[in-house]
Amino acid sequence: MGECGFRGGYAEIIGMDEETRMVLSKILSSMLCPNIAGQLILSTYVNPPKEGEASYDSFTKEKDLISSALRRKSQLVHELLNSLNGITMNRLTGSMYAFPKIFLPKGFIEYVKNNEKIVIRNPDEYYCLLLLENTGIVSIPGSGFGQKKGTWHFRITILPIEEKLKKCLDMFKEFHLKLIKDFT
């Protein structure tokens, strides 16, 4: 659990050889300025308020509000993207990112690969660039994640507030349908 800008983690390392443990200890010791806010927040995540404590009710209420909003937004994104011709997406189960697979028209792929005016040669990267230019929606091409050759994906977040997310999804739908129509 974490909020943007306040993420934390911890590790338990078992069976590490002594030389490696000493190198790791040296690296960790060289960090002169620990992130105090991050440490406090991580402490709260791993040891949240317990029932009966002063902040338990407000902590639980806020956590439940955030979790239910993320579930609604996840469902919204999942339903809209899967309703579009040329896009499939698995259900989100605990992520703030959607990573849909796009089936780009052959004409679009050939256009991207053969057009001398286009510097970008990955069809999903060009798709994301066009999405940004036409809608202002930022997405990350799946080719940057080492996707299976010949498949295309993009990554978007589900974090905007619901009203903005709905507007973005409407703009996305319009963009995607036009691109599919133009290259089919």
Side-chain angles (χ1 to χ4, degrees):
M1 178 177 218
E3 296 186 30
C4 287
F6 288 114
R7 297 180 186 151
Y10 62 94
E12 179 180 4
I13 302 171
I14 300 170
M16 181 182 289
D17 66 85
E18 185 59 24
E19 184 179 346
T20 305
R21 189 192 65 72
M22 290 188 64
V23 170
L24 180 60
S25 179
K26 186 184 281 187
I27 291 169
L28 295 173
S29 298
S30 69
M31 295 179 190
L32 300 175
C33 299
N35 178 335
I36 301 300
Q39 290 179 18
L40 292 170
I41 290 168
L42 180 59
S43 173
T44 302
Y45 289 153
V46 298
N47 187 23
K50 293 172 183 49
E51 195 168 359
E53 293 181 350
S55 60
Y56 176 79
D57 289 340
S58 61
F59 173 82
T60 303
K61 181 180 178 183
E62 185 173 335
K63 186 176 99 174
D64 291 346
L65 284 171
I66 292 169
S67 295
S68 64
L70 287 172
R71 275 191 296 279
R72 284 190 311 273
K73 293 188 284 187
S74 166
Q75 184 68 23
L76 182 70
V77 170
H78 180 262
E79 287 175 1
L80 179 104
L81 293 181
N82 277 312
S83 76
L84 297 176
N85 181 29
I87 297 182
T88 61
M89 186 185 107
N90 293 332
R91 247 180 231 296
L92 297 176
T93 56
S95 176
M96 62 183 185
Y97 296 111
F99 201 71
K101 182 175 185 177
I102 47 177
F103 299 88
L104 296 168
K106 188 175 182 180
F108 180 77
I109 294 169
E110 290 173 3
Y111 174 78
V112 173
K113 294 194 179 222
N114 299 323
N115 189 327
E116 293 178 11
K117 295 179 183 178
I118 300 174
V119 177
I120 296 170
R121 293 289 176 229
N122 287 322
D124 60 344
E125 190 174 349
Y126 193 63
Y127 180 94
C128 290
L129 179 64
L130 290 176
L131 178 62
L132 177 63
E133 289 176 349
N134 287 280
T135 67
I137 298 171
V138 177
S139 61
I140 308 296
S143 52
F145 294 96
Q147 65 195 6
K148 182 178 177 183
K149 187 174 180 169
T151 65
W152 312 111
H153 302 81
F154 63 94
R155 185 184 82 176
I156 57 171
T157 186
I158 65 165
L159 291 178
I161 60 172
E162 287 176 74
E163 286 308 309
K164 286 186 181 181
L165 183 60
K166 287 176 185 177
K167 288 178 185 176
C168 287
L169 289 172
D170 288 342
M171 289 188 300
F172 176 85
K173 179 180 179 179
E174 186 178 321
F175 163 81
H176 178 77
L177 293 176
K178 182 177 182 334
L179 183 134
I180 297 296
K181 182 182 175 197
D182 288 350
F183 286 95
T184 301

